[in-house]
Amino acid sequence: SSGINAEWPLRPGGNRGKKKSNTVASQFKESLTSLMQTLSSSNPYFVRCVKPNAQKQANDFRNEMMINQLRYSGMMATVVIRKSGFPVRRLYADFTSRYYPLLASIYTKVDKDKCTLYLSKLDRPKEWQAGKTKIFMKESLENSLEQSRIAILGTAAVMIQKHWRAVMARCVRVCVCVCVCV
């Protein structure tokens, strides 16, 4: 025997049930984890840290101070430029995978050609531009593409449900006929 009993506590009273002290490092880690979860759940164009108040107190937001920081850093001007230009920017591969139901009638293997052919058929030339690796679109064009995509997928879902129900009805009918005949 080593002379130390494994059940013997290291401190009098044991260390069970005690909470770890909340250190600055653990607070920072929790805050960073929360921020990363928020960022991963959204699709941000920019990430900019601003001080919410002069005292740096949690959950105390001073709108005037934050707006001034965003204005002086050039973020407000950047937002205006993005809104007036082409705020939606997608890689060609992302565009073709997202809007595949709309592009199914275009038979070409090159993503860029598929995107430009489809968008040129829409007759909305001022709402999109093709770059080297990305397609640039206005918000209104993306919204109409999304609505068309949702409508096509909804129709496809109804068709799948219809065929599945027909197959199940035939199976039940065959089972009933077998039971009656036996």
Side-chain angles (χ1 to χ4, degrees):
S1 172
S2 63
I4 298 178
N5 188 352
E7 295 175 9
W8 186 54
L10 298 176
R11 289 188 217 144
N15 54 0
R16 286 186 223 150
K18 283 194 172 185
K19 291 183 179 179
K20 278 180 120 178
S21 63
N22 205 5
T23 63
V24 173
S26 66
Q27 288 175 354
F28 178 76
K29 186 176 178 182
E30 288 172 13
S31 176
L32 185 60
T33 303
S34 171
L35 175 64
M36 292 308 294
Q37 287 174 347
T38 303
L39 289 176
S40 65
S41 68
S42 61
N43 190 9
Y45 288 118
F46 297 102
V47 176
R48 181 75 184 181
C49 296
V50 293
K51 293 179 186 174
N53 56 55
Q55 294 77 25
K56 299 180 188 174
Q57 293 176 345
N59 300 322
D60 182 20
F61 298 99
R62 306 280 184 216
N63 287 340
E64 187 177 317
M65 183 176 178
M66 293 190 316
I67 294 290
N68 284 337
Q69 290 176 63
L70 293 172
R71 190 173 291 129
Y72 294 139
S73 67
M75 290 302 296
M76 299 299 261
T78 304
V79 168
V80 169
I81 290 169
R82 278 188 82 92
K83 280 187 176 181
S84 66
F86 299 99
V88 179
R89 301 158 188 216
R90 290 191 183 269
L91 292 171
Y92 289 114
D94 293 343
F95 184 91
T96 53
S97 67
R98 176 110 184 127
Y99 299 111
Y100 178 77
L102 304 174
L103 306 173
S105 63
I106 299 174
Y107 300 106
T108 179
K109 293 193 178 209
V110 181
D111 289 339
K112 183 175 181 179
D113 295 342
K114 201 176 258 199
C115 295
T116 54
L117 280 171
Y118 179 76
L119 290 173
S120 60
K121 286 181 182 180
L122 294 178
D123 197 31
R124 293 167 80 171
K126 293 184 178 182
E127 294 191 28
W128 66 276
Q129 274 190 332
K132 287 184 179 181
T133 59
K134 291 183 180 179
I135 193 85
F136 301 92
M137 299 180 292
K138 294 215 180 238
E139 198 81 36
S140 61
L141 178 60
E142 188 195 30
N143 289 339
S144 68
L145 288 174
E146 278 297 317
Q147 288 174 352
S148 300
R149 177 181 164 270
I150 289 168
I152 288 173
L153 291 177
T155 304
V158 168
M159 188 66 73
I160 290 169
Q161 290 172 354
K162 178 178 128 180
H163 287 290
W164 177 253
R165 288 180 183 135
V167 167
M168 294 307 294
R170 281 188 216 111
C171 288
V172 168
R173 192 172 131 222
V174 168
C175 290
V176 168
C177 287
V178 169
C179 292
V180 169
C181 293
V182 173

